């Protein structure tokens, strides 16, 4: 590494530190179709338009969704892993979730920095639309950090993380579905926080 | 703002959330000359080379400095302000301090994300040199975030923050010395967290 270069970690949120939010909304509301995630439909715009149309069709408003999210907990050990990382390096969580959803879970995680998107909410609480902060937000975050002379170690679980993992100096898969493992054999695969922590430690020592 | 654009906050560390580290080292060690900060010498390289030469001259090692830092506390109300900010937006603390110094204070602040630099420590604990991650690190952090479609609200207290405040969409001075107020009359000046919080709230509402 050049003299001033430093390590930094970028990670996904859902599936890595917290459960998949939409799957939980689907379970609570009984609307099976809301279980679709980027694991199933890799085009995020197609996926989100489908979700918003389902919400509308069932008359679900922002309050119905945030009440489900407020009852959710981070994955067991997530807070401890985050604190371990923050004691050794810096981490930016980069997610395709929305500020209106993330708050209660981020608080339970001790407020790690989150780069995500916003929803447009109507006066009656209807979720009217979603606003991506920018296309390819995960990959571009890695590029921005590299421009600040950071060496980026990234981990995520799914299709929408691949751009981030490819752009990073080191990409690690955490509990990915089988099709992602098959399509991207270049990334090491971890299935629990202990193995993930070992890989991160080895990279932070470099 | 364009549809997906989001607010983010960038801040200084010393003088804003924690006391000036070198001044505290000077007080504890009785070495008057270590009290110099970027408030006195605006060229950071000149300042740091002076500091390292003073440490060498007095035989002070990394352990002597970190033991002083470990006994320091954040400014009263700093943690509460940070938690307030993190409940409403995101914050990146951008500092000219070093990872070897910052740890204990960042833990007391609940691990906000910190962009800073590193020291080179010899096998016997001698502080052999310092490694800036990059020149103009504060300003470049703001530029990188703007490239990620963030509108940046920045605050800091001194000369080395001016590049960051100028580059940000909104720059705020917090407890600056008189000469900085005189030279940069364009920035609003706050003297306590209550006033700072009000300015931040007004910007986050935009």
């Amino acid at each position: 590494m050049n003299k001033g270069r430093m390590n930094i970690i970028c990670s996904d949120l859902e599936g890595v530190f917290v459960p998949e939010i939409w799957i939980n909304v689907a379970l609570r509301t009984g609307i099976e179709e809301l279980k679709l995630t980027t694991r199933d439909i890799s085009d995020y715009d197609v996926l989100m338009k489908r979700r918003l149309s389902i919400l509308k069709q069932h008359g679900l408003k922002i309050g119905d969704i945030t009440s489900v999210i407020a009852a959710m907990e981070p994955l067991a050990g997530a807070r401890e892993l985050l604190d371990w990382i923050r004691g050794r390096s810096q981490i930016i969580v980069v997610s395709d979730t929305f500020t209106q959803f993330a708050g209660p879970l981020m608080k339970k995680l001790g407020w790690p920095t989150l780069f995500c998107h916003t929803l447009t909410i109507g006066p009656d609480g209807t979720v009217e639309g979603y606003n991506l902060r920018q296309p390819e937000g995960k990959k571009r975050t890695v590029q921005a950090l590299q421009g600040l002379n950071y060496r980026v170690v990234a981990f995520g679980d799914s299709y929408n993380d691949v751009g981030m993992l490819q752009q990073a100096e080191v990409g690690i898969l955490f509990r990915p579905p089988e099709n992602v493992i098959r399509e991207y054999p270049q990334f090491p695969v971890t299935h629990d926080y202990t193995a993930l922590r070992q890989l991160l430690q080895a990279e932070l020592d470099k």
Side-chain angles (χ1 to χ4, degrees), chain A residues 66-149:
Chain A
T66 52
S67 70
V68 169
I69 296 169
M72 287 171 63
E73 291 295 328
L75 300 182
R79 173 66 189 263
E80 291 71 17
L81 177 63
L82 268 168
D83 285 344
W84 179 87
I85 289 171
R86 291 183 286 187
R88 279 153 188 79
S89 184
Q90 301 298 319
I91 181 165
I92 309 275
V93 180
V94 193
S95 170
D96 282 327
T97 191
F98 307 95
T99 49
Q100 288 92 341
F101 287 180
L105 283 165
M106 298 312 285
K107 185 177 184 181
K108 290 174 185 175
L109 291 172
W111 299 119
T113 296
L114 173 70
F115 288 1
C116 67
H117 310 296
T118 53
L119 293 169
T120 301
I121 308 295
D124 66 343
T126 302
V127 183
E128 292 182 346
Y130 75 100
N131 317 300
L132 289 192
R133 202 182 64 253
Q134 64 182 180
E136 297 195 287
K138 296 195 183 213
K139 177 183 171 182
R140 292 193 57 175
T141 297
V142 174
Q143 289 173 320
L145 292 169
Q146 288 167 333
L148 298 176
N149 201 21

Side-chain angles (χ1 to χ4, degrees), chain A residues 17-193:
Chain A
F17 290 120
V18 306
E20 293 286 345
I21 291 173
W22 288 98
I23 288 178
N24 272 267
V25 174
L27 290 171
R28 292 272 189 126
T29 57
I31 303 169
E32 193 71 16
E33 215 187 343
L34 283 177
K35 281 189 187 165
L36 296 170
T37 72
T38 47
R39 291 184 176 209
D40 309 291
I41 300 175
S42 60
D43 185 322
Y44 189 69
D45 186 59
V46 173
L47 176 64
M48 273 305 298
K49 282 184 175 145
R50 178 92 71 93
R51 286 169 172 166
L52 296 190
S53 121
I54 297 166
L55 293 184
K56 202 168 181 177
Q57 184 190 322
H58 289 265
L60 286 181
K61 306 214 165 160
I62 183 69
D64 302 310
I65 303 168
T66 52
S67 70
V68 169
I69 296 169
M72 287 171 63
E73 291 295 328
L75 300 182
R79 173 66 189 263
E80 291 71 17
L81 177 63
L82 268 168
D83 285 344
W84 179 87
I85 289 171
R86 291 183 286 187
R88 279 153 188 79
S89 184
Q90 301 298 319
I91 181 165
I92 309 275
V93 180
V94 193
S95 170
D96 282 327
T97 191
F98 307 95
T99 49
Q100 288 92 341
F101 287 180
L105 283 165
M106 298 312 285
K107 185 177 184 181
K108 290 174 185 175
L109 291 172
W111 299 119
T113 296
L114 173 70
F115 288 1
C116 67
H117 310 296
T118 53
L119 293 169
T120 301
I121 308 295
D124 66 343
T126 302
V127 183
E128 292 182 346
Y130 75 100
N131 317 300
L132 289 192
R133 202 182 64 253
Q134 64 182 180
E136 297 195 287
K138 296 195 183 213
K139 177 183 171 182
R140 292 193 57 175
T141 297
V142 174
Q143 289 173 320
L145 292 169
Q146 288 167 333
L148 298 176
N149 201 21
Y150 279 106
R151 172 180 176 264
V152 180
V153 180
F155 59 93
D157 72 333
S158 192
Y159 277 116
N160 69 331
D161 299 307
V162 167
M164 172 172 79
L165 303 189
Q166 286 174 329
Q167 180 65 38
E169 276 75 10
V170 179
I172 301 167
L173 286 168
F174 180 77
R175 293 185 191 158
E178 280 303 319
N179 49 359
V180 172
I181 297 177
R182 270 198 310 276
E183 283 183 51
Y184 304 97
Q186 68 267 43
F187 300 124
V189 178
T190 54
H191 297 283
D192 56 55
Y193 287 154

